[in-house]
Amino acid sequence: LPFSPLHRERFPRALGLCPPPPDPPPPGPPGCLGVPPPPPNGWAPPPAYICSPFAAPTPDEQAHHVRWARALARLAWDHGFWPVAPHLYAPQFLDDADPAERAQGLAWGLRQLQDCAVVYVLNVPPSAGMRQELDRLSPQQVVNVVPPLFLRFA
């Protein structure tokens, strides 16, 4: 993916190739409450934060933003990362129209951002939520700026 020259000074690291995932472990006994234990080799895809707009003035625009976020998450998955997209998850149980719940969801998303070494940013004019996320990026995070034309829609 192209890396915007505007971000090279602030975010000097570039995305490298991820090692291929190891073969899945053989099935073992179920863990607590039927949840299987983690693989013995401990491998899990590294998390990558998905930064794209969510809020919109119309339901049609918001549906378009959701399609963008899903496609960006799929791109991160195809690159070997576990996509962390709080704006796809939190609206399932939080009301984005309620300012208090929206603030809680944004705060939770910013906490998730801290745990991700890689961030995929959709190259569109940033929304208010995206601006908060972009302001919280650290120089240690690898930032991939993705033009919407690079996205595949299912």
Side-chain angles (χ1 to χ4, degrees), residues 86-133:
H87 54 308
L88 289 179
Y89 177 67
Q92 303 301 311
F93 55 89
L94 293 177
D95 182 2
D96 197 56
D98 178 341
E101 288 194 6
R102 178 171 172 76
Q104 288 175 327
L106 286 169
W108 176 71
L110 293 173
R111 174 65 185 91
Q112 300 300 308
L113 175 62
Q114 294 174 354
D115 295 335
C116 296
V118 176
V119 180
Y120 281 74
V121 179
L122 190 63
N123 192 12
V124 296
S127 65
M130 286 177 70
R131 274 190 230 103
Q132 287 184 42
E133 294 165 339

Tab-separated table of all heavy atoms in Angstrom, residues 86-133:
chain	number	residue	atom	x	y	z
A	86	PRO	N	-13.778	-0.795	16.607
A	86	PRO	CA	-14.795	-0.533	17.630
A	86	PRO	C	-16.056	0.106	17.064
A	86	PRO	O	-17.146	-0.112	17.582
A	86	PRO	CB	-14.100	0.416	18.608
A	86	PRO	CG	-12.651	0.281	18.345
A	86	PRO	CD	-12.504	-0.157	16.928
A	87	HIS	N	-15.919	0.883	15.997
A	87	HIS	CA	-17.094	1.548	15.433
A	87	HIS	C	-18.007	0.584	14.676
A	87	HIS	O	-19.122	0.944	14.330
A	87	HIS	CB	-16.690	2.741	14.567
A	87	HIS	CG	-15.710	2.464	13.483
A	87	HIS	ND1	-14.511	1.822	13.698
A	87	HIS	CD2	-15.743	2.752	12.171
A	87	HIS	CE1	-13.852	1.737	12.559
A	87	HIS	NE2	-14.580	2.286	11.620
A	88	LEU	N	-17.556	-0.630	14.437
A	88	LEU	CA	-18.449	-1.655	13.891
A	88	LEU	C	-19.096	-2.468	15.021
A	88	LEU	O	-20.198	-2.978	14.862
A	88	LEU	CB	-17.695	-2.601	12.966
A	88	LEU	CG	-17.253	-2.034	11.631
A	88	LEU	CD1	-16.498	-3.089	10.832
A	88	LEU	CD2	-18.427	-1.497	10.845
A	89	TYR	N	-18.404	-2.566	16.141
A	89	TYR	CA	-18.875	-3.403	17.238
A	89	TYR	C	-19.761	-2.637	18.231
A	89	TYR	O	-20.872	-3.066	18.545
A	89	TYR	CB	-17.664	-4.004	17.965
A	89	TYR	CG	-17.997	-4.839	19.160
A	89	TYR	CD1	-18.676	-6.043	19.014
A	89	TYR	CD2	-17.646	-4.440	20.438
A	89	TYR	CE1	-18.990	-6.817	20.115
A	89	TYR	CE2	-17.954	-5.209	21.543
A	89	TYR	CZ	-18.633	-6.396	21.375
A	89	TYR	OH	-18.945	-7.153	22.467
A	90	ALA	N	-19.281	-1.502	18.729
A	90	ALA	CA	-19.984	-0.782	19.792
A	90	ALA	C	-21.404	-0.361	19.413
A	90	ALA	O	-22.297	-0.440	20.264
A	90	ALA	CB	-19.169	0.430	20.252
A	91	PRO	N	-21.685	0.065	18.182
A	91	PRO	CA	-23.063	0.454	17.854
A	91	PRO	C	-24.067	-0.702	17.915
A	91	PRO	O	-25.273	-0.472	17.855
A	91	PRO	CB	-22.967	0.998	16.432
A	91	PRO	CG	-21.558	1.422	16.290
A	91	PRO	CD	-20.766	0.442	17.115
A	92	GLN	N	-23.576	-1.930	18.071
A	92	GLN	CA	-24.490	-3.052	18.213
A	92	GLN	C	-25.227	-2.992	19.549
A	92	GLN	O	-26.303	-3.557	19.683
A	92	GLN	CB	-23.732	-4.383	18.092
A	92	GLN	CG	-22.957	-4.543	16.808
A	92	GLN	CD	-23.855	-4.443	15.585
A	92	GLN	OE1	-24.895	-5.095	15.519
A	92	GLN	NE2	-23.455	-3.627	14.635
A	93	PHE	N	-24.619	-2.313	20.552
A	93	PHE	CA	-25.268	-2.243	21.863
A	93	PHE	C	-25.265	-0.835	22.455
A	93	PHE	O	-25.897	-0.604	23.471
A	93	PHE	CB	-24.632	-3.237	22.845
A	93	PHE	CG	-23.145	-3.077	22.991
A	93	PHE	CD1	-22.614	-2.215	23.931
A	93	PHE	CD2	-22.292	-3.801	22.180
A	93	PHE	CE1	-21.247	-2.065	24.069
A	93	PHE	CE2	-20.918	-3.663	22.312
A	93	PHE	CZ	-20.395	-2.788	23.256
A	94	LEU	N	-24.537	0.123	21.835
A	94	LEU	CA	-24.564	1.512	22.290
A	94	LEU	C	-25.344	2.347	21.279
A	94	LEU	O	-25.319	2.071	20.078
A	94	LEU	CB	-23.144	2.076	22.413
A	94	LEU	CG	-22.250	1.476	23.494
A	94	LEU	CD1	-20.859	2.086	23.433
A	94	LEU	CD2	-22.861	1.663	24.867
A	95	ASP	N	-26.000	3.393	21.762
A	95	ASP	CA	-26.774	4.289	20.904
A	95	ASP	C	-25.879	5.453	20.485
A	95	ASP	O	-25.546	6.320	21.303
A	95	ASP	CB	-28.004	4.796	21.654
A	95	ASP	CG	-28.881	5.705	20.816
A	95	ASP	OD1	-28.573	5.924	19.618
A	95	ASP	OD2	-29.887	6.198	21.363
A	96	ASP	N	-25.488	5.489	19.215
A	96	ASP	CA	-24.596	6.528	18.717
A	96	ASP	C	-25.258	7.908	18.758
A	96	ASP	O	-24.570	8.923	18.776
A	96	ASP	CB	-24.149	6.191	17.289
A	96	ASP	CG	-22.936	6.986	16.864
A	96	ASP	OD1	-21.916	6.923	17.577
A	96	ASP	OD2	-23.016	7.691	15.833
A	97	ALA	N	-26.587	7.957	18.798
A	97	ALA	CA	-27.299	9.234	18.854
A	97	ALA	C	-27.321	9.807	20.280
A	97	ALA	O	-27.613	10.983	20.463
A	97	ALA	CB	-28.723	9.061	18.337
A	98	ASP	N	-27.024	8.997	21.277
A	98	ASP	CA	-26.972	9.452	22.670
A	98	ASP	C	-25.550	9.955	22.943
A	98	ASP	O	-24.596	9.171	22.914
A	98	ASP	CB	-27.317	8.282	23.600
A	98	ASP	CG	-27.239	8.642	25.078
A	98	ASP	OD1	-26.592	9.648	25.442
A	98	ASP	OD2	-27.833	7.895	25.873
A	99	PRO	N	-25.372	11.266	23.186
A	99	PRO	CA	-24.019	11.816	23.361
A	99	PRO	C	-23.200	11.109	24.449
A	99	PRO	O	-21.995	10.911	24.277
A	99	PRO	CB	-24.254	13.286	23.720
A	99	PRO	CG	-25.615	13.592	23.182
A	99	PRO	CD	-26.396	12.314	23.276
A	100	ALA	N	-23.834	10.715	25.548
A	100	ALA	CA	-23.095	10.039	26.626
A	100	ALA	C	-22.599	8.670	26.171
A	100	ALA	O	-21.442	8.305	26.412
A	100	ALA	CB	-23.968	9.907	27.872
A	101	GLU	N	-23.465	7.913	25.493
A	101	GLU	CA	-23.048	6.582	25.024
A	101	GLU	C	-22.021	6.702	23.899
A	101	GLU	O	-21.104	5.893	23.808
A	101	GLU	CB	-24.266	5.776	24.592
A	101	GLU	CG	-25.106	5.341	25.771
A	101	GLU	CD	-26.123	4.269	25.431
A	101	GLU	OE1	-26.129	3.748	24.293
A	101	GLU	OE2	-26.922	3.939	26.320
A	102	ARG	N	-22.183	7.703	23.031
A	102	ARG	CA	-21.189	7.911	21.968
A	102	ARG	C	-19.821	8.214	22.585
A	102	ARG	O	-18.803	7.678	22.156
A	102	ARG	CB	-21.609	9.031	21.032
A	102	ARG	CG	-20.573	9.315	19.945
A	102	ARG	CD	-21.084	10.270	18.888
A	102	ARG	NE	-20.040	10.671	17.973
A	102	ARG	CZ	-19.547	9.928	17.003
A	102	ARG	NH1	-20.032	8.713	16.804
A	102	ARG	NH2	-18.598	10.375	16.212
A	103	ALA	N	-19.797	9.065	23.619
A	103	ALA	CA	-18.538	9.395	24.289
A	103	ALA	C	-17.916	8.151	24.921
A	103	ALA	O	-16.697	7.955	24.853
A	103	ALA	CB	-18.771	10.478	25.344
A	104	GLN	N	-18.747	7.293	25.530
A	104	GLN	CA	-18.231	6.052	26.112
A	104	GLN	C	-17.645	5.153	25.025
A	104	GLN	O	-16.586	4.550	25.208
A	104	GLN	CB	-19.334	5.314	26.854
A	104	GLN	CG	-19.744	5.974	28.142
A	104	GLN	CD	-20.929	5.272	28.793
A	104	GLN	OE1	-21.802	4.739	28.110
A	104	GLN	NE2	-20.950	5.280	30.116
A	105	GLY	N	-18.341	5.048	23.901
A	105	GLY	CA	-17.847	4.225	22.802
A	105	GLY	C	-16.544	4.756	22.233
A	105	GLY	O	-15.616	3.986	21.947
A	106	LEU	N	-16.446	6.069	22.069
A	106	LEU	CA	-15.201	6.661	21.564
A	106	LEU	C	-14.050	6.445	22.544
A	106	LEU	O	-12.930	6.121	22.136
A	106	LEU	CB	-15.393	8.149	21.279
A	106	LEU	CG	-16.208	8.485	20.034
A	106	LEU	CD1	-16.566	9.962	20.001
A	106	LEU	CD2	-15.455	8.089	18.783
A	107	ALA	N	-14.319	6.601	23.832
A	107	ALA	CA	-13.273	6.385	24.840
A	107	ALA	C	-12.790	4.934	24.813
A	107	ALA	O	-11.587	4.665	24.907
A	107	ALA	CB	-13.788	6.760	26.229
A	108	TRP	N	-13.732	4.012	24.684
A	108	TRP	CA	-13.363	2.601	24.609
A	108	TRP	C	-12.522	2.330	23.359
A	108	TRP	O	-11.513	1.626	23.412
A	108	TRP	CB	-14.624	1.740	24.618
A	108	TRP	CG	-14.355	0.286	24.456
A	108	TRP	CD1	-13.783	-0.555	25.370
A	108	TRP	CD2	-14.634	-0.506	23.312
A	108	TRP	NE1	-13.701	-1.829	24.860
A	108	TRP	CE2	-14.221	-1.821	23.588
A	108	TRP	CE3	-15.204	-0.234	22.072
A	108	TRP	CZ2	-14.343	-2.849	22.672
A	108	TRP	CZ3	-15.328	-1.271	21.164
A	108	TRP	CH2	-14.904	-2.554	21.468
A	109	GLY	N	-12.913	2.921	22.236
A	109	GLY	CA	-12.145	2.756	21.008
A	109	GLY	C	-10.739	3.312	21.132
A	109	GLY	O	-9.773	2.695	20.661
A	110	LEU	N	-10.591	4.468	21.777
A	110	LEU	CA	-9.259	5.042	21.965
A	110	LEU	C	-8.399	4.144	22.834
A	110	LEU	O	-7.181	4.054	22.628
A	110	LEU	CB	-9.366	6.447	22.561
A	110	LEU	CG	-9.994	7.497	21.645
A	110	LEU	CD1	-10.216	8.797	22.396
A	110	LEU	CD2	-9.152	7.715	20.406
A	111	ARG	N	-9.002	3.458	23.783
A	111	ARG	CA	-8.252	2.498	24.601
A	111	ARG	C	-7.782	1.322	23.746
A	111	ARG	O	-6.666	0.833	23.892
A	111	ARG	CB	-9.131	2.023	25.769
A	111	ARG	CG	-8.529	0.930	26.612
A	111	ARG	CD	-7.269	1.410	27.333
A	111	ARG	NE	-6.627	0.341	28.042
A	111	ARG	CZ	-5.662	-0.445	27.532
A	111	ARG	NH1	-5.232	-0.252	26.310
A	111	ARG	NH2	-5.121	-1.400	28.250
A	112	GLN	N	-8.635	0.866	22.833
A	112	GLN	CA	-8.250	-0.227	21.941
A	112	GLN	C	-7.093	0.197	21.030
A	112	GLN	O	-6.203	-0.589	20.720
A	112	GLN	CB	-9.444	-0.657	21.083
A	112	GLN	CG	-10.642	-1.150	21.854
A	112	GLN	CD	-10.311	-2.351	22.710
A	112	GLN	OE1	-9.756	-3.324	22.229
A	112	GLN	NE2	-10.638	-2.272	23.989
A	113	LEU	N	-7.119	1.450	20.595
A	113	LEU	CA	-6.081	1.985	19.722
A	113	LEU	C	-4.704	1.873	20.360
A	113	LEU	O	-3.720	1.563	19.681
A	113	LEU	CB	-6.413	3.444	19.373
A	113	LEU	CG	-5.384	4.231	18.569
A	113	LEU	CD1	-5.166	3.603	17.204
A	113	LEU	CD2	-5.838	5.677	18.424
A	114	GLN	N	-4.622	2.085	21.671
A	114	GLN	CA	-3.332	2.007	22.372
A	114	GLN	C	-2.697	0.627	22.267
A	114	GLN	O	-1.478	0.496	22.346
A	114	GLN	CB	-3.508	2.349	23.850
A	114	GLN	CG	-3.903	3.775	24.113
A	114	GLN	CD	-4.204	4.014	25.583
A	114	GLN	OE1	-4.229	3.083	26.399
A	114	GLN	NE2	-4.439	5.263	25.937
A	115	ASP	N	-3.514	-0.412	22.126
A	115	ASP	CA	-3.011	-1.779	22.103
A	115	ASP	C	-2.616	-2.262	20.709
A	115	ASP	O	-2.205	-3.408	20.559
A	115	ASP	CB	-4.061	-2.734	22.673
A	115	ASP	CG	-4.341	-2.465	24.141
A	115	ASP	OD1	-3.448	-1.916	24.831
A	115	ASP	OD2	-5.443	-2.791	24.600
A	116	CYS	N	-2.762	-1.413	19.702
A	116	CYS	CA	-2.484	-1.826	18.323
A	116	CYS	C	-1.214	-1.165	17.811
A	116	CYS	O	-1.094	0.066	17.850
A	116	CYS	CB	-3.665	-1.463	17.415
A	116	CYS	SG	-5.176	-2.347	17.831
A	117	ALA	N	-0.278	-1.972	17.330
A	117	ALA	CA	0.962	-1.436	16.773
A	117	ALA	C	0.770	-0.985	15.328
A	117	ALA	O	1.588	-0.241	14.796
A	117	ALA	CB	2.068	-2.482	16.851
A	118	VAL	N	-0.300	-1.445	14.697
A	118	VAL	CA	-0.579	-1.123	13.294
A	118	VAL	C	-1.945	-0.472	13.216
A	118	VAL	O	-2.890	-0.903	13.888
A	118	VAL	CB	-0.536	-2.400	12.420
A	118	VAL	CG1	-0.917	-2.095	10.983
A	118	VAL	CG2	0.840	-3.041	12.492
A	119	VAL	N	-2.051	0.571	12.401
A	119	VAL	CA	-3.307	1.298	12.229
A	119	VAL	C	-3.568	1.468	10.741
A	119	VAL	O	-2.692	1.912	9.999
A	119	VAL	CB	-3.256	2.684	12.912
A	119	VAL	CG1	-4.574	3.428	12.732
A	119	VAL	CG2	-2.911	2.548	14.385
A	120	TYR	N	-4.760	1.083	10.307
A	120	TYR	CA	-5.205	1.310	8.932
A	120	TYR	C	-6.117	2.533	8.950
A	120	TYR	O	-7.124	2.533	9.655
A	120	TYR	CB	-5.974	0.102	8.394
A	120	TYR	CG	-5.086	-1.032	7.957
A	120	TYR	CD1	-4.432	-1.840	8.875
A	120	TYR	CD2	-4.907	-1.300	6.605
A	120	TYR	CE1	-3.617	-2.876	8.471
A	120	TYR	CE2	-4.091	-2.338	6.188
A	120	TYR	CZ	-3.448	-3.119	7.125
A	120	TYR	OH	-2.640	-4.139	6.713
A	121	VAL	N	-5.751	3.564	8.197
A	121	VAL	CA	-6.513	4.805	8.155
A	121	VAL	C	-7.080	4.983	6.754
A	121	VAL	O	-6.334	4.951	5.773
A	121	VAL	CB	-5.628	6.018	8.512
A	121	VAL	CG1	-6.423	7.318	8.432
A	121	VAL	CG2	-5.003	5.849	9.885
A	122	LEU	N	-8.378	5.162	6.675
A	122	LEU	CA	-9.007	5.422	5.380
A	122	LEU	C	-8.694	6.853	4.976
A	122	LEU	O	-8.901	7.791	5.754
A	122	LEU	CB	-10.516	5.201	5.461
A	122	LEU	CG	-11.242	5.210	4.124
A	122	LEU	CD1	-10.775	4.074	3.224
A	122	LEU	CD2	-12.742	5.122	4.347
A	123	ASN	N	-8.181	7.029	3.765
A	123	ASN	CA	-7.753	8.336	3.277
A	123	ASN	C	-8.952	9.130	2.761
A	123	ASN	O	-9.181	9.243	1.563
A	123	ASN	CB	-6.696	8.161	2.187
A	123	ASN	CG	-6.009	9.462	1.851
A	123	ASN	OD1	-6.140	10.446	2.558
A	123	ASN	ND2	-5.271	9.467	0.758
A	124	VAL	N	-9.740	9.630	3.705
A	124	VAL	CA	-10.890	10.493	3.430
A	124	VAL	C	-10.804	11.653	4.420
A	124	VAL	O	-10.069	11.564	5.408
A	124	VAL	CB	-12.235	9.744	3.591
A	124	VAL	CG1	-12.360	8.621	2.573
A	124	VAL	CG2	-12.409	9.206	4.998
A	125	PRO	N	-11.551	12.726	4.180
A	125	PRO	CA	-11.551	13.790	5.197
A	125	PRO	C	-11.970	13.200	6.546
A	125	PRO	O	-12.991	12.528	6.641
A	125	PRO	CB	-12.585	14.787	4.673
A	125	PRO	CG	-12.611	14.562	3.185
A	125	PRO	CD	-12.349	13.084	3.007
A	126	PRO	N	-11.175	13.427	7.586
A	126	PRO	CA	-11.465	12.767	8.868
A	126	PRO	C	-12.717	13.316	9.540
A	126	PRO	O	-12.966	14.517	9.539
A	126	PRO	CB	-10.223	13.041	9.708
A	126	PRO	CG	-9.573	14.214	9.082
A	126	PRO	CD	-9.950	14.209	7.634
A	127	SER	N	-13.462	12.407	10.118
A	127	SER	CA	-14.614	12.777	10.944
A	127	SER	C	-14.090	13.232	12.304
A	127	SER	O	-12.897	13.109	12.600
A	127	SER	CB	-15.535	11.569	11.107
A	127	SER	OG	-14.862	10.553	11.832
A	128	ALA	N	-14.986	13.711	13.152
A	128	ALA	CA	-14.582	14.136	14.501
A	128	ALA	C	-13.977	12.972	15.277
A	128	ALA	O	-12.962	13.122	15.966
A	128	ALA	CB	-15.776	14.721	15.243
A	129	GLY	N	-14.581	11.791	15.170
A	129	GLY	CA	-14.045	10.613	15.850
A	129	GLY	C	-12.682	10.215	15.303
A	129	GLY	O	-11.774	9.864	16.064
A	130	MET	N	-12.532	10.274	13.985
A	130	MET	CA	-11.233	9.950	13.386
A	130	MET	C	-10.164	10.935	13.857
A	130	MET	O	-9.020	10.535	14.109
A	130	MET	CB	-11.307	9.980	11.859
A	130	MET	CG	-12.020	8.817	11.224
A	130	MET	SD	-12.120	8.992	9.427
A	130	MET	CE	-10.421	8.767	8.941
A	131	ARG	N	-10.515	12.216	13.963
A	131	ARG	CA	-9.542	13.212	14.416
A	131	ARG	C	-9.035	12.871	15.814
A	131	ARG	O	-7.841	13.001	16.095
A	131	ARG	CB	-10.149	14.621	14.393
A	131	ARG	CG	-10.021	15.277	13.044
A	131	ARG	CD	-10.389	16.751	13.084
A	131	ARG	NE	-11.333	16.972	11.995
A	131	ARG	CZ	-12.637	17.109	12.109
A	131	ARG	NH1	-13.208	17.086	13.284
A	131	ARG	NH2	-13.397	17.280	11.060
A	132	GLN	N	-9.938	12.415	16.679
A	132	GLN	CA	-9.509	12.013	18.022
A	132	GLN	C	-8.536	10.842	17.939
A	132	GLN	O	-7.532	10.801	18.657
A	132	GLN	CB	-10.716	11.624	18.872
A	132	GLN	CG	-11.560	12.787	19.310
A	132	GLN	CD	-12.688	12.337	20.227
A	132	GLN	OE1	-12.484	11.502	21.111
A	132	GLN	NE2	-13.873	12.878	20.016
A	133	GLU	N	-8.844	9.879	17.073
A	133	GLU	CA	-7.959	8.717	16.922
A	133	GLU	C	-6.615	9.137	16.345
A	133	GLU	O	-5.556	8.719	16.844
A	133	GLU	CB	-8.626	7.680	16.022
A	133	GLU	CG	-9.869	7.063	16.631
A	133	GLU	CD	-10.733	6.319	15.637
A	133	GLU	OE1	-10.640	6.558	14.410
A	133	GLU	OE2	-11.532	5.484	16.095
